[in-house]
């Protein structure tokens, strides 16, 4: 399977039908622009545009075959707002064959657009059509017989009363009355059977076949399914290899006035949802973009891909296979979807080696790995920041700097760490384990209780921010599971029972109480990740005199259980 990484949508549109006489999709305006000032028309001289509406991109056309999206003409709820198109030449066509269509949206179904025609620009005659029955975009198609053959045809679209109306994709085409072929909504489907190149199919249902001899032209595709020349009802199936990038043109025709032309754009991805447990050894050829694999796709596109590189990272207890992947600090964000998890505990783990801190800000930080929900809302994040010539990790569920809990551990460039990020839905605890012993027991290095509990984890993302915040790194042996490869020491994923920390904010003393009231150790870390206090709690109190006002992280440990809280010192 191959991910088409520079395309963000999966489209199949009928860009024209019959023999096109005139077509206008209103382009892509840079901002809301009056019709009289707009220059981005698809069809220009001798066509002229006038009227009191404007062209804008909001509420782009959608929901009908051929919807171009982007720019559309907007007629506000002031009665009389209009669009006038002049200078259309239909004189070489038969009036009975001239078909008008346009995308149309109204904010009030009881109030409908007025469409008129003129051959002198002065006398206007209404054109009848089936009105919208809802407030969604619809494609209006007006069969031949109402549009005259003329060298000076004008069309006028008017908003007659209090409603907001939009118009897009206006087309005039010569469609023979004997052309009964009608195409339904096409469906794209991806084949995700292998981690190599598979196929994607475009299925076009139709009715009204078996009335002529049709020729189907689809470069790069194999054509199967039903034949509209012999079958009255059926579906034409086009099969493309996933290496077919960009847009291809498809035509189904039976003479010049019964012709349908399609734009088929390759989908953004043809990947499946991995089943937990997931084990990703990055067994791809060096130089291959991670987004070209069966398991991954890009969620954003940048200047650089995450690429497979030769070799592995090593860690005691983990047998590395395949290759590894590397990112350079700026570029695409790449996502692996897996079984949506909403209960229990979920872990992701991987090996990491930061290979270069050159140019990385000493004051900034960024997250480079994250869980996300089924709707791709980023949640459990692993952060990184430089600290002199070294670096350290942090975690949070938000992008608020004050919410990040930083590990006190500092690491050197080109050293290998084994990171395990876990989230417990029951206790609402996000924890990071740094370099746990495989097969042994481990306590969380840092943990945090999100203000808002997570309800879904369905994706894992490697993220590239910028060249000044995300260092160059190599990553290997990713896994996603519900059971770690070590034992949680003393149920370290559980919060401390009855924990209270007060007052907060405070100036001099900090009081800590628990249900057990056993030996408690407190580590206080400043926003730079430096541990400023590490002491036992005496008489439920910790002396914080001397600490400068600001935000701190308090890591509390009792009988192997840990909890992390934010503290403000005034």
């Amino acid at each position: 399977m191959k991910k088409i990484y520079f395309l963000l949508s999966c489209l199949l549109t009928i860009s024209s039908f019959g023999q096109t006489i005139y077509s206008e999709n209103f382009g892509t305006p840079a901002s809301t622009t009056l019709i009289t000032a707009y220059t981005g028309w698809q069809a220009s001289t001798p066509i002229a545009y006038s009227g009191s509406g404007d062209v804008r991109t909001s509420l782009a056309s959608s929901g009908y075959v051929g919807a171009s999206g982007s720019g559309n003409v907007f007629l506000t709820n002031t009665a009389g707002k209009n669009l006038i198109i002049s200078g259309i030449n239909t004189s070489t066509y038969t009036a009975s064959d001239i078909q008008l269509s346009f995308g149309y949206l109204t904010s009030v179904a009881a109030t409908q657009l007025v469409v008129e025609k003129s051959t002198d620009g002065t006398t206007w005659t209404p054109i009848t059509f089936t009105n919208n029955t809802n407030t969604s975009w619809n494609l209006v198609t007006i069969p031949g017989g109402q549009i005259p053959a003329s060298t000076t045809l004008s069309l006028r679209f008017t908003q007659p009363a209090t409603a907001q109306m939009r118009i897009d994709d206006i087309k005039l085409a010569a469609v023979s009355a004997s052309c009964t072929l009608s195409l339904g909504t096409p469906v794209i489907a991806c084949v995700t059977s292998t981690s190599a190149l598979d196929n994607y199919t475009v299925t076009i249902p139709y009715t009204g076949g078996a009335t002529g001899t049709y020729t189907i032209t689809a470069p790069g595709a194999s054509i199967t399914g039903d034949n509209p020349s012999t079958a009255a009802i059926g579906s034409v199936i086009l099969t493309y290899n996933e290496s077919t990038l960009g847009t291809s043109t498809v035509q189904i025709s039976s003479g010049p006035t019964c012709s349908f032309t399609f734009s088929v754009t390759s989908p953004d991805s043809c990947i499946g949802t991995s089943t937990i447990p997931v084990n990703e050894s990055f067994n791809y050829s060096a130089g291959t973009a991670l987004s070209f694999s069966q398991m991954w796709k890009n969620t954003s596109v940048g200047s650089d891909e995450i690429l497979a590189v030769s070799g592995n990272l090593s860690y005691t207890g983990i047998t590395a296979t395949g290759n590894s992947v590397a990112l350079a600090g700026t570029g695409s964000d790449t996502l692996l979807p897996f079984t949506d998890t909403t209960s229990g505990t979920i872990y992701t783990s991987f090996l990491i080696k930061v290979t270069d801190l050159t140019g990385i800000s000493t004051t900034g930080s960024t997250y480079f790995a994250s869980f996300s929900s089924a709707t791709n809302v980023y949640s459990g994040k692993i952060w990184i920041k430089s600290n002199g010539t070294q670096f350290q990790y942090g975690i949070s569920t938000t992008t608020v700097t004050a919410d990040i809990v930083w590990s006190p551990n500092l690491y050197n460039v080109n050293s290998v760490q084994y990171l395990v990020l876990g989230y417990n839905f029951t206790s609402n605890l996000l924890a990071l384990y740094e370099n746990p012993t495989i097969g042994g027991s481990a306590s969380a290095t840092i943990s945090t209780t999100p203000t808002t509990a997570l309800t879904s984890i369905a994706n894992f993302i490697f993220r590239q921010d910028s060249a000044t915040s995300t260092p160059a790194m190599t990553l290997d042996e990713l896994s996603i599971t519900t059971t770690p490869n070590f034992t949680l020491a003393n149920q370290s994923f559980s919060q401390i029972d009855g924990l209270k920390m007060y007052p907060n904010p405070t100036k001099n003393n900090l009081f800590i109480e628990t249900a057990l009231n056993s030996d408690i150790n407190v580590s206080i870390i400043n926003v730079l990740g430096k541990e400023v206090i590490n002491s036992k709690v005496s008489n439920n109190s910790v002396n914080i005199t001397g600490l400068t006002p600001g935000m701190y992280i308090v890591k509390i440990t009792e009988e192997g259980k840990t909890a992390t809280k934010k503290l403000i010192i005034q």
Side-chain angles (χ1 to χ4, degrees), residues 422-503:
Y423 180 72
N424 187 311
F425 285 93
T426 302
S427 63
N428 183 30
L429 196 70
L430 181 73
L432 181 69
Y433 299 78
E434 296 178 6
N435 301 320
T437 300
I438 306 301
S441 62
S443 298
T445 307
I446 49 176
S447 61
T448 184
T449 302
T451 302
T452 302
L454 308 184
T455 58
S456 166
I457 295 178
N459 303 288
F460 177 76
I461 300 138
F462 281 131
R463 175 178 179 264
Q464 300 185 89
D465 191 349
S466 71
T468 58
S469 56
T470 308
M473 60 182 71
T474 302
L475 305 154
D476 201 3
E477 298 304 320
L478 172 76
S479 73
I480 300 166
T481 181
T482 56
T483 305
N485 50 13
F486 54 86
T487 301
L488 300 178
N490 297 317
Q491 296 181 335
S492 62
F493 227 115
S494 300
Q495 300 182 76
I496 297 173
D497 293 338
L499 176 62
K500 298 178 182 178
M501 186 182 81
Y502 62 91

Side-chain angles (χ1 to χ4, degrees), residues 52-101:
S52 51
D54 60 60
V55 185
R56 55 180 67 188
T57 57
S58 59
L59 282 179
S61 60
S62 63
Y64 58 86
V65 176
S68 61
S70 193
N72 59 85
V73 165
F74 176 67
L75 307 177
T76 69
N77 54 12
T78 301
K81 293 287 186 178
N82 60 26
L83 162 68
I84 301 172
I85 306 171
S86 306
I88 304 172
N89 187 349
T90 58
S91 62
T92 58
Y93 301 92
T94 303
S96 61
D97 291 341
I98 302 175
Q99 179 172 289
L100 170 64
S101 67

